[in-house]
Amino acid sequence: MTRTALLLLLLGGYAQAAPGVRAGVSLAGRVGLGGTTGTYGPGLVGDLGVVLDDAWSVVGGVGVSGVVIFNLSNAGLGLERAIDEKWSVAGGVSFGLFASLASDLPASTALLVPLRLDYALGQHGALSERRRGWLAWFEVMPGFTLAQSCGFTRGPCPPAPWFAIVGSVGIGYAWR
């Protein structure tokens, strides 16, 4: 067996793509709870990162969602692994702010661990194109509350639950 054939066999039978930039934008529906502050509603989620090879990417993401009173903003960094031409998984860490835009209601900050599953819609030719095109995704972000404000409540602030969780589903487009 030649060295080239052995190398191709070890690499899974294909040559790896060159590193590149990955970007994406999605419409999402989100629901969550951080301390005593809840959130729900439509939103936008954006991703920007570096594709390391055919399987791995480092991706930064931001998201905003809500309906005036119940809002969530978050930003974080994650590692994405493409499983095949259709499926990929990602995990990372994100900082979230649960707050109202309309009044002095209770607010909280949280450290979240986003876990995301992507499914590519449509056909993909080359393995290097697996992250390009329309995708549907599901994400869950468990975590814990860092700080809680009481808003306009008078008197001492009641203790906040320590946990935070957000669930999201979305559809978007990714470029590579």
Side-chain angles (χ1 to χ4, degrees):
M1 194 179 261
T2 67
R3 278 188 244 168
T4 305
L6 182 58
L7 182 61
L8 285 174
L9 180 64
L10 291 173
L11 292 174
Y14 61 90
Q16 294 182 345
V21 175
R22 179 191 182 284
V25 64
S26 299
L27 293 173
R30 302 167 100 185
V31 62
L33 178 67
T36 58
T37 309
T39 184
Y40 65 88
L44 288 173
V45 175
D47 301 319
L48 182 62
V50 177
V51 177
L52 302 176
D53 61 25
D54 284 331
W56 294 96
S57 295
V58 176
V59 180
V62 300
V64 293
S65 63
V67 287
V68 183
I69 296 175
F70 304 101
N71 295 287
L72 169 65
S73 301
N74 71 295
L77 187 65
L79 189 62
E80 180 184 55
R81 167 87 166 124
I83 299 169
D84 61 20
E85 293 82 14
K86 294 285 189 180
W87 294 96
S88 63
V89 295
V93 65
S94 184
F95 178 77
L97 172 65
F98 297 80
S100 170
L101 297 177
S103 66
D104 189 23
L105 291 172
S108 66
T109 57
L111 186 62
L112 304 166
V113 180
L115 305 168
R116 183 166 152 168
L117 179 65
D118 294 338
Y119 179 75
L121 306 171
Q123 297 297 320
H124 295 276
L127 290 171
S128 62
E129 297 176 0
R130 71 174 70 181
R131 291 180 183 90
R132 183 182 303 148
W134 291 98
L135 62 124
W137 54 268
F138 169 76
E139 181 176 62
V140 63
M141 292 190 284
F144 59 92
T145 303
L146 299 173
Q148 172 80 33
S149 76
C150 292
F152 58 79
T153 306
R154 298 205 187 270
C157 191
W162 63 270
F163 67 89
I165 189 159
V166 177
S168 308
V169 334
I171 187 162
Y173 193 84
W175 295 269
R176 179 177 192 275

